[in-house]
Amino acid sequence: MWGFPVRGRQWLSRRVGFKRSTSRVAELVLDRARGVGLFGRYPLQVAEYCICPRDWRPGRRLSVVALADLHFGGSYLDLARLDQVIERANALSPELVVLLGDYGASHLEGESHRQAMRTLSASLRQLDAPLGVIAVLGNHDWWDDPEAQASGRSPIIADQELSAVGITVLENQSVRLQHRGQPFWVAGLGDQLARLGPPEVGVDDLEGLTGTLADEAPAILLAHEPDIFPEVPDRYAVTLCGHTHGGQIKILGRTPVVPSRYGSRYVHGHVVEDGRHLIVSAGLGVSILPLRIGTRPEIVHLVVGAD
């Protein structure tokens, strides 16, 4: 669907290899440390938000669960932990579930990555919501798929495996849903960092995506990285993102490293700018370093509108 040329493949191969090697070594070290009682996993928390956007009509209350950055396949989010996440999410009785990208552990590649995605997808099909489960793709979903990096084209492994179990994957596409007799749109943005660089190049097309909204029904925007938010028009009632892991490591209330050109501006939580709403999840898994310090993994439960 979306193509781009690949240049500097030797540099790309070295970067991807270094990232995976670093992540794998850290995974092994931390796994041993957990075995002797060090660096335990934080318990899951539910981050609750209730917003009433100006274009969301009264009586259209919508319950949405958002899961971000699972990075499944390592010791931090294994199958037992995944089962806990799904059970907790279903207990919130959402009407819609959205998945915000970065599904596999970053040290996996090739057939290991595909198998992890297959196992993950088989579990995610247990998510229960009357309006279904809708997903977008993240940067690691692209980066950890060597064939996608070589061709620059989708569908990538994550898309294929999620779609195979009936999960709707959106890449610069939208779907129109009905809730309580009223229509609304869910729009999914292509990833903004899909191709490893330098520079990193996205497959996102916000203008084209917005053009797919064929009527004036309110819209929810799903995007993996929150850096797009300054460009998001007020056509969207709320934007839901992941990617930052809430900083993943927080020391004395500060996040030393945030994967965003805006620093901590969109690191976590509910942000309102010019009347536009953004929710950034702290996510569930980890990347590179298989631990969290000061940032608990979370399920986002968002209620849009009121009865």
Side-chain angles (χ1 to χ4, degrees), residues 112-163:
S112 296
H113 173 58
R114 182 177 291 278
Q115 187 55 52
M117 279 304 310
R118 189 161 294 166
T119 302
L120 171 65
S121 299
S123 292
L124 291 177
R125 73 188 302 174
Q126 304 304 316
L127 289 166
D128 186 18
L131 295 177
V133 182
I134 299 176
V136 292
L137 303 171
N139 59 303
H140 281 280
D141 303 317
W142 279 88
W143 293 0
D144 297 336
D145 187 334
E147 291 185 8
Q149 287 297 312
S151 69
R153 298 183 182 277
S154 56
I156 63 176
I157 289 173
D159 186 345
Q160 294 167 357
E161 297 300 332
L162 291 170
S163 298

Side-chain angles (χ1 to χ4, degrees), residues 27 34 37 71 77 88 101 162 271 293:
E27 179 80 20
R34 289 193 188 100
H71 291 285
L77 201 148
R88 191 82 176 270
L162 291 170
V271 178
I293 298 175

Side-chain angles (χ1 to χ4, degrees), residues 22 36 52 56 124 131 157 176 181 193 215 248 255 278 283 296 301:
T22 302
V36 295
C52 293
W56 203 268
L124 291 177
L131 295 177
I157 289 173
R176 190 175 187 267
L193 302 172
D215 58 33
Q248 190 166 310
T255 48
L278 168 70
R296 289 180 59 181
H301 183 214

Side-chain angles (χ1 to χ4, degrees), residues 61 116 118 182 190 192 202 212 220 227 250 260 279 282 296:
R61 181 185 182 277
R118 189 161 294 166
Q182 299 289 335
Q192 300 158 61
T212 68
I220 295 171
D227 282 16
K250 184 183 293 185
S260 167
I279 305 291
R296 289 180 59 181

Side-chain angles (χ1 to χ4, degrees), residues 20-31:
R20 287 183 178 137
S21 297
T22 302
S23 181
R24 183 56 178 161
V25 169
E27 179 80 20
L28 290 171
V29 171
L30 267 295
D31 195 42

Side-chain angles (χ1 to χ4, degrees), residues 118-293:
R118 189 161 294 166
T119 302
L120 171 65
S121 299
S123 292
L124 291 177
R125 73 188 302 174
Q126 304 304 316
L127 289 166
D128 186 18
L131 295 177
V133 182
I134 299 176
V136 292
L137 303 171
N139 59 303
H140 281 280
D141 303 317
W142 279 88
W143 293 0
D144 297 336
D145 187 334
E147 291 185 8
Q149 287 297 312
S151 69
R153 298 183 182 277
S154 56
I156 63 176
I157 289 173
D159 186 345
Q160 294 167 357
E161 297 300 332
L162 291 170
S163 298
V165 300
I167 293 173
T168 299
V169 180
L170 300 178
E171 189 172 71
N172 300 315
Q173 299 163 307
S174 61
V175 293
R176 190 175 187 267
L177 302 176
Q178 289 275 342
H179 175 57
R180 298 190 177 188
Q182 299 289 335
F184 72 100
W185 294 90
V186 178
L189 188 68
D191 187 68
Q192 300 158 61
L193 302 172
R195 176 193 167 235
L196 282 164
E200 288 159 351
V201 177
V203 294
D204 54 305
D205 181 4
L206 180 60
E207 182 178 357
L209 173 61
T210 304
T212 68
L213 307 179
D215 58 33
E216 296 304 312
I220 295 171
L221 177 63
L222 312 181
H224 180 63
E225 298 93 353
D227 282 16
I228 195 67
F229 187 60
E231 304 171 34
V232 173
D234 58 12
R235 174 70 180 84
Y236 294 97
V238 60
T239 300
L240 300 177
C241 299
H243 183 63
T244 65
H245 299 195
Q248 190 166 310
I249 294 176
K250 184 183 293 185
I251 301 172
L252 299 177
R254 300 181 66 86
T255 48
V257 178
V258 180
S260 167
R261 67 178 180 269
Y262 295 102
S264 296
R265 179 173 167 182
Y266 304 131
V267 67
H268 181 226
H270 184 196
V271 178
V272 181
E273 293 182 354
D274 300 322
R276 298 169 303 119
H277 294 268
L278 168 70
I279 305 291
V280 182
S281 172
L284 291 157
V286 294
S287 178
I288 310 300
L289 290 177
L291 78 162
R292 287 173 176 258
I293 298 175

